[in-house]
């Protein structure tokens, strides 16, 4: 290990010597377990991000390609250690005993000569003098900083920079810390930094993802901490095996993003949708509105139930609320008979019906069926499991985004899963109990 001792006798030769000086070493050093605020003079968040991105970009461009190269993550603990190391300006410092191996790349050079990114690129350029097949560097050349930068199992990075004053010269110290470290030796010879092969072909079971960025030539093994590529809000818990959020009380939605504080005055609360299923004779979002009968006539009566086809368009949840205000539900189709009759009726409407609101995006109709991620199945508005099905060929095909079900005109009014924000017309259904209130009798 070479350390530079400042000496007044160096004079003008100091900048030249410093420009040629680079240090790579590995030692035992334990980062502090708690991520604290960066120390004064530390790299900004933007600089940290750029250095991390550069490391990953360079690691994905090694030749020959790497089969087990891991993607790096930024560590504030390592960054603090690197910043403290840079502040030593090349003088030896204490090395606390610990059990975690950390590797170091260090560079001292005249202030303002190069940016940190350019310094890292110079470290990587050492690879031009490294033979992966022979596992050695060219004669009278150094490659230790290159091999540490591309050490496959190093997955944590932290860097620091410090402006130093040595005699009359101003120099900069650039330091990067890597964990776990690299540059292991066997019989006095450093082993190869990575395994040659197709990108990500030798990722271990615990590092099973393959990270590919748009500007990366190859792939980097990554720990699949969140293979679902999603997060749960409001302290919800993500089940990574099912990619479903388990929401705390008071929240609902796919990401626990909906605050749920509905109180059903005359009805039953459905936590999955944060909504009410109203008792007969009541409507509104909280089932607090007394519905006065009669208020309309049925478009269709099937087995005693009344079906009303809207002449206006709305989103799925807007349509659901409008049916509920009238004391009904979005249509619940539970038999082939109901499906056939509705399909026939809607087919006739296409050419004969006048709509009062043409603000609809399709010629399709909402029914009261939605995909529930927590249940991993389609459920009716009442919460019942969907037993009968009439999905069109190839459907449902987009459950992650199209969670609401429509009767699709282009598929003879068979079912299709659609985005809930789409504006469709809709079908309301009223059960026998409602109809008995509309017709009080003699």
């Amino acid at each position: 290990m070479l350390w530079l001792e400042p000496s007044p006798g160096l004079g003008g030769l100091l900048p030249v010597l410093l420009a040629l000086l680079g240090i790579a070493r590995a030692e035992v050093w334990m980062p502090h377990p708690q991520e604290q605020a960066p120390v004064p003079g530390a790299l900004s968040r933007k600089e940290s991000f750029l250095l991390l991105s550069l490391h990953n970009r360079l690691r994905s461009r090694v030749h020959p390609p790497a089969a087990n190269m891991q993607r790096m993550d930024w560590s504030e603990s390592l960054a603090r250690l690197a910043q403290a190391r840079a502040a030593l300006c090349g003088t030896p410092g204490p090395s606390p005993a610990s059990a975690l191996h950390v590797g170091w790349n260090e560079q001292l050079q005249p202030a303002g000569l190069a940016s940190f990114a350019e310094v890292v690129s110079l470290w990587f350029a050492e690879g031009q003098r490294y033979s992966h097949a022979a596992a050695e560097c060219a004669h009278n050349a150094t490659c230790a900083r290159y091999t540490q930068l591309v050490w496959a199992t190093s997955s944590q990075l932290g860097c620091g920079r410090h402006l130093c004053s040595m005699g009359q010269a101003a120099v900069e110290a650039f330091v990067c810390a890597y964990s776990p470290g690299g540059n292991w030796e066997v019989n006095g010879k450093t082993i190869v930094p990575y395994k040659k092969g197709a990108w990500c072909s030798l990722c271990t079971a615990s590092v099973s993802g393959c990270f590919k960025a748009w500007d990366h030539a190859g792939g980097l093994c990554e720990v699949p901490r969140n293979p679902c590529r999603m997060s749960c809000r409001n302290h919800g818990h993500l089940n990574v095996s099912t990619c479903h959020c388990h929401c705390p009380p008071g929240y609902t939605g796919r990401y626990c993003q909906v605050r749920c504080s509905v109180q059903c005055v005359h009805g039953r609360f459905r936590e999955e949708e944060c909504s009410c299923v109203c008792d007969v004779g009541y409507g509104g979002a909280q089932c607090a509105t007394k519905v006065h009968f009669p208020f309309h006539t049925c478009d269709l009566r099937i087995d005693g139930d009344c079906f009303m086809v809207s002449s206006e368009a709305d989103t799925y949840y807007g349509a659901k609320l409008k049916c509920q205000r009238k004391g009904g539900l979005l249509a619940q189709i539970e038999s082939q008979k109901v499906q056939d009759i509705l399909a026939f009726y809607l087919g006739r409407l296409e050419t004969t019906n006048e709509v009062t609101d043409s603000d609809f995006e399709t010629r399709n109709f909402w029914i009261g069926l939605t995909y529930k991620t927590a249940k991993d199945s389609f459920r009716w508005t009442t919460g019942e499991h969907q037993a009968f099905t009439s999905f069109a060929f190839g459907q449902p095909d987009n459950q992650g985004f199209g969670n609401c079900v429509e009767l699709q005109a282009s598929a003879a009014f068979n079912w299709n899963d659609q985005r809930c924000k789409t504006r469709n017309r809709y079908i309301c259904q009223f059960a026998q109990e409602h109809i008995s209130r509309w017709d009080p009798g003699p």
Side-chain angles (χ1 to χ4, degrees):
M1 177 61 199
L2 176 64
W3 293 103
L4 183 68
E5 295 288 351
S7 172
L10 289 176
L13 293 178
L14 181 60
V16 178
L17 293 174
L18 290 174
L20 299 176
L21 178 61
I23 305 168
R25 67 176 296 183
E27 65 183 34
V28 174
W29 196 307
M30 173 69 84
H32 197 283
Q34 295 181 348
E35 298 291 326
Q36 301 173 357
V39 296
L43 300 176
S44 68
R45 181 169 297 183
K46 180 179 180 180
E47 291 175 305
S48 303
F49 173 78
L50 291 176
L51 283 177
L52 176 64
S53 299
L54 177 60
H55 271 77
N56 282 326
R57 185 181 301 112
L58 295 176
R59 287 164 67 87
S60 69
R61 292 178 177 175
V62 294
H63 183 78
N68 65 328
M69 186 73 71
Q70 290 194 33
R71 181 176 71 87
M72 282 186 164
D73 291 317
W74 187 263
S75 167
E76 281 298 335
S77 296
L78 289 177
R80 280 196 305 277
L81 291 180
Q83 186 63 39
R85 181 72 143 237
L88 296 175
C89 296
T91 59
S95 299
S98 182
L100 183 62
H101 187 272
V102 173
W104 297 93
N105 275 352
E106 305 181 45
Q107 183 87 27
L108 290 171
Q109 66 179 32
L113 184 65
S115 67
F116 209 147
E118 290 171 329
V119 170
V120 173
S121 296
L122 288 175
W123 296 345
F124 184 74
E126 291 180 1
Q128 298 173 5
R129 302 186 293 273
Y130 182 79
S131 170
H132 188 276
E136 63 183 13
C137 198
H139 182 63
N140 289 332
T142 177
C143 302
R145 291 170 297 183
Y146 165 76
T147 52
Q148 175 57 82
L149 194 156
V150 300
W151 200 266
T153 55
S154 295
S155 59
Q156 297 289 316
L157 171 71
C159 299
R161 177 186 58 211
H162 189 77
L163 185 63
C164 307
S165 178
M166 293 185 174
Q168 296 179 351
V171 299
E172 281 184 292
F174 299 91
V175 179
C176 283
Y178 304 82
S179 178
N183 289 337
W184 294 106
E185 293 184 356
V186 175
N187 297 327
K189 184 177 180 180
T190 304
I191 63 176
V192 291
Y194 62 86
K195 295 180 181 179
K196 174 184 174 182
W199 297 105
C200 296
S201 59
L202 291 178
C203 298
T204 63
S206 61
V207 189
S208 57
C210 191
F211 173 77
K212 292 180 180 288
W214 67 272
D215 60 345
H216 289 192
L220 301 174
C221 302
E222 66 174 345
V223 179
R225 291 182 299 275
N226 187 354
C228 306
R229 304 293 184 185
M230 61 180 286
S231 60
C232 304
R233 304 176 190 174
N234 298 308
H235 306 290
H237 172 69
L238 176 65
N239 185 332
V240 294
S241 62
T242 62
C243 293
H244 293 160
C245 288
H246 298 285
C247 303
Y251 293 92
T252 187
R254 187 181 183 197
Y255 308 106
C256 304
Q257 77 278 17
V258 179
R259 186 173 182 85
C260 189
S261 58
V262 177
Q263 294 183 350
C264 304
V265 180
H266 298 284
R268 176 168 55 89
F269 176 65
R270 283 208 62 208
E271 184 175 359
E272 287 177 343
E273 290 189 347
C274 188
S275 63
C276 300
V277 178
C278 297
D279 296 337
V280 175
Y282 291 91
Q286 297 183 341
C287 303
T289 304
K290 182 74 172 177
V291 178
H292 300 284
F293 302 103
F295 54 84
H296 69 76
T297 59
C298 298
D299 292 311
L300 284 172
R301 288 201 184 193
I302 307 174
D303 292 335
D305 283 359
C306 168
F307 294 85
M308 185 196 74
V309 180
S310 78
S311 58
E312 60 184 4
D314 210 327
T315 63
Y316 174 85
Y317 290 104
K320 174 187 171 186
L321 182 58
K322 287 181 178 177
C323 288
Q324 187 166 305
R325 285 173 180 166
K326 298 175 181 178
L329 301 169
L330 276 173
Q332 191 160 309
I333 305 174
E334 298 181 284
S335 70
Q336 191 65 57
K337 177 181 178 180
V338 176
Q339 171 66 28
D340 289 346
I341 294 175
L342 282 176
F344 173 78
Y345 181 80
L346 296 177
R348 297 283 295 273
L349 278 182
E350 283 197 279
T351 56
T352 63
N353 193 46
E354 293 287 339
V355 296
T356 58
D357 179 2
S358 60
D359 185 24
F360 55 91
E361 299 172 6
T362 71
R363 294 180 295 120
N364 307 331
F365 295 81
W366 290 126
I367 60 175
L369 188 65
T370 53
Y371 178 75
K372 300 303 178 189
T373 54
K375 302 290 185 181
D376 194 23
S377 64
F378 284 91
R379 297 293 176 110
W380 294 108
T381 301
T382 56
E384 297 175 30
H385 179 73
Q386 161 242 336
F388 169 76
T389 181
S390 188
F391 277 106
F393 181 75
Q395 302 297 333
D397 63 351
N398 195 22
Q399 294 179 1
F401 296 98
N403 289 338
C404 296
V405 177
E406 64 185 5
L407 300 183
Q408 191 174 43
S410 62
F413 294 102
N414 284 305
W415 305 355
N416 172 60
D417 52 335
Q418 179 61 272
R419 290 178 179 268
C420 302
K421 291 184 178 180
T422 303
R423 293 183 63 83
N424 285 338
R425 294 166 69 186
Y426 52 92
I427 305 172
C428 297
Q429 180 177 358
F430 305 87
Q432 280 275 19
E433 302 95 308
H434 300 87
I435 299 174
S436 66
R437 299 194 182 203
W438 301 341
D439 302 323

